Amino acid sequence: MSKTKIINFLVALKHEALPIIDYFGLNLNDKKHRNIYSNVEQNVFLIISGIGIENAKKAVIKLKKLNNNKDDIWINIGIAGHKTLKVGSIYEVKKVISSNNENTFFTNSFYNKVPTSTVCCVNKEEKKYNNKYLYDMESYGFLEALDSPTIKENIFMFKIVSDNLQFKPKSYKNFSVSFISKHIRKINTILDKYRNKPPESFYDISLILNIIKNKYHVTFYNKKKLEKILTKIFIIKSQKEIKNDVLVSKSLNGLIKKYESYLTKYILKI
Amino acid sequence: MTKIIYIEREIKDHFRTKLICSKISNPEIIVIDRFSEIFNKKNQSFKLQKNDPALIIAKKYKNLIHKTPENYGIGNKYNYYFSYMYNCLFDCKYCFLQGMYSSANYVIFVNYEDYYDEIKKISITNKKKNITIFSGYDCDSLAFEAISNFMSCLIKKMPEYENIELEIRTKSTYSKLFSKNIIKNVIIAYSFTPDRFSNKYEKGVPSVDKRLKVIKRLSNLGWKLGFRFDPVIIYEGWQEDYKELFIKIFQNIDIDNVHSITFGKLRFPDTIYKKLIKENMTESLFFNLEKKKNSYESSNENNIEGFLIENLTKFIDERKIFFNN
Ligand code: SF4
C-alpha cells in the first residue's frame, strides 16, 4: 500500500493542464479516457473537464470511477476574474457560492500561507464584478460532486487572477501556461504537507491475513474482525511475533480469543 | 496560532469580534452565514483539522447553560455547566472532544452577555439553593483567555451571585485574571495526570511544575483551588507516578485553600467511543477499555477508587473528595 495519498487535479482547459502535466510528468495512459492524464507511480492524476459547472461535476464523477479513496486529495486549479485584484496573483479558495444555486461549499480550513478568497461561480462570463469575489465557471460543480464522501480537509482550490477591470490578457492560453507554471511549484509544496498517510494505513495486515487464510477458512465476518484486531496487535507486537502466533495457533477461534484477551489485559507502556 | 477566521455575518461588526481579530496577526477572514455550515459536518476529520485549527467566531442563540448529569458535582445538589467555546488549544490523546465533534476548529461565541445573563437568571430564580456552575466542558476554560477575555469579565460579576459557585477548569497556566482581590465563590480547578504521561499524551499542556508554580501563587493569595484527576490513566507504573504527583501538589500548597478533589476513570459513552476509535484505531491508550452497558471504560480490576481515596486522604479530608463516574 502506498504511503502517500493520491492527488486528483481538475482543470477546465488543456492550456491550464499543460504546466501540471509537465511538472508531474503525466501521460495520457488510457485510450478510453482521452481527458485523463496520470503518473501512476507518483499517484498523480489529472482530468480536463471543459468549461462550466456541469462539465466539472461530470469530470469529478468520471475520475472518481478510477480513484475513489476517502483520503484522496482533490484540487482544482484555474484562472479567475476579479474587479481589482492584481493580475497574476494567486488565491486559495476557501468558500464557493454560485450565482444560480442556493448552496455554499467550503474547501479545507488550513492556512497555507497563500491569501484566501471566496469564489462566485457563474454560468456565463460575468460583466459586473462584485469586489468581494473571484469569478470562475467550474468551482461549484467541482465541490458539489465532491460533497460526499470526500473529506473536506483533502479538498483544495487555487485560482490565479487573469483579468480585472483594468486588464485582460491578449491570450488566455499563454496567460494560463505562464502563470500556472509560475505557481505550480508552490502549490506542490503545499500539497506535499498533506500527502502523507497516517502510519496505520500501511501496516502489512494483508500479509498476515493471507498467512491466516492459507491456514484456516476465514469468513467475511472473521476477516473484518481480524483486520480490526491486527491493526492494534501490530502496535504492540512485531510482524515476526505475529507470524509465529499464527503458525503455532491451533484454531482460528483460538487465535482470535488469544488476541482479544491480550488486548484487554494490555497495560500501556510509556 | 490560527490564521484562518470564519465569521458569522451577523456578528461581523460586533466589538468583540473585532477585538479578537485584532489579537491575531494578518488573519484571513471568511464570512459565513452560520457556524454550522462548516463546523461538525459529516465529511470532516477531527484529526486532520487538529494539525492546524481555524477559528470560527459565532453567536449562540439557545441552550447556553445545561444541567449536569444527576450524580456529577462537588458538594452542591444543583449543578450546571456551560461552554462559551467548542474545542481546545491543547491536544490530549484521550480528549473526548475528538469523539464528540468531527471538527477540531475552535468555535467561540461572542455574545458573552447572554451567558452572563443566564447565570444571573439561575442565581435569582434559585435564591435559596446552593448551586455549582462548571465551565470547561467543551473546551479548556483558560487556554484561550488571552484572546477571548471571557472569564476575566465573568469573575468580576460573581460576587453578586452569592448562591453560585463557579468552577473554572483548566490545564493552562494563564492566571492574569486572578489578582489579589480573591473572589470567594470562584474555584480554579486544575486537571492533572503525572508528568511522565502528560509529556507524551497531552500535547501543548504546560508541565506539572509550571502549573504548580502558578497554583502556589494562587494558593498564597488565598484563591479556592480544585484538583481534578479525571481521568486517572492506568499504565505501567501509574501508582508510583500518581503518589509522587500527589506529594508534589499537596506538599506545596495551603491545604485549607483546597475546595475539592475529583477523580474518575477513563470512560466514554458508547457513541463518543465509537467515533473516537474510528480515527484512533492504533492508539494503545484505548486498547484495554471494557465495554459496559452504555459506555467503554477502564477495568475495575485496578481499583482506582480505592487507590485514590487511600492516597489522597493522606493530605485531604475525605469529605472534599468526589469520585465521578
Ligand atoms: S485540556 Fe481538556 S479539553 Fe483540552 S484537549 Fe485536553 S482533555 Fe481536551
Side-chain angles (χ1 to χ4, degrees), chain B residues 98-114:
Chain B
Q98 56 193 323
M100 191 141 127
Y101 301 129
S102 57
S103 184
N105 287 337
Y106 314 130
V107 184
I108 180 162
F109 299 106
V110 288
N111 50 322
Y112 298 175
E113 288 71 18
D114 293 336

Side-chain angles (χ1 to χ4, degrees), chain B residues 6 8 35-36 38-40 54-60 83-88 101 103-110 115 138-139 144:
Chain B
Y6 297 89
E8 282 184 357
F35 80 98
S36 49
I38 43 162
F39 184 77
N40 210 20
L55 174 64
I56 303 167
I57 304 181
K59 179 176 173 180
K60 188 144 172 118
S83 303
Y84 79 100
M85 196 176 161
Y86 295 162
N87 280 325
C88 183
Y101 301 129
S103 184
N105 287 337
Y106 314 130
V107 184
I108 180 162
F109 299 106
V110 288
Y115 286 89
D138 296 81
C139 63
F144 212 69

Side-chain angles (χ1 to χ4, degrees), chain A residues 25 29 35 54 86 108 123 127 177 211 215-216 254 269:
Chain A
N29 279 330
N35 59 345
E54 279 312 307
K86 193 176 161 218
N108 73 81
N123 283 328
K127 295 271 170 6
V177 173
I211 300 175
K215 192 166 173 179
Y216 303 113
K269 292 174 185 63

Side-chain angles (χ1 to χ4, degrees), chain A residues 95 116 147 153 266 268, chain B residues 28 31 43 45 49 236 288:
Chain A
K95 176 180 171 182
T116 64
D147 198 34
E153 288 66 48
Y266 175 74
L268 184 71
Chain B
E28 290 288 331
V31 177
N43 303 321
S45 159
Q49 280 194 5
E236 244 176 33
N288 58 11

Side-chain angles (χ1 to χ4, degrees), chain A residues 29-46:
Chain A
N29 279 330
D30 191 337
K31 288 205 177 101
K32 262 201 320 205
H33 306 295
R34 305 291 305 170
N35 59 345
I36 297 180
Y37 292 76
S38 61
N39 180 338
V40 180
E41 246 169 55
Q42 298 288 319
N43 269 340
V44 180
F45 295 77
L46 177 144

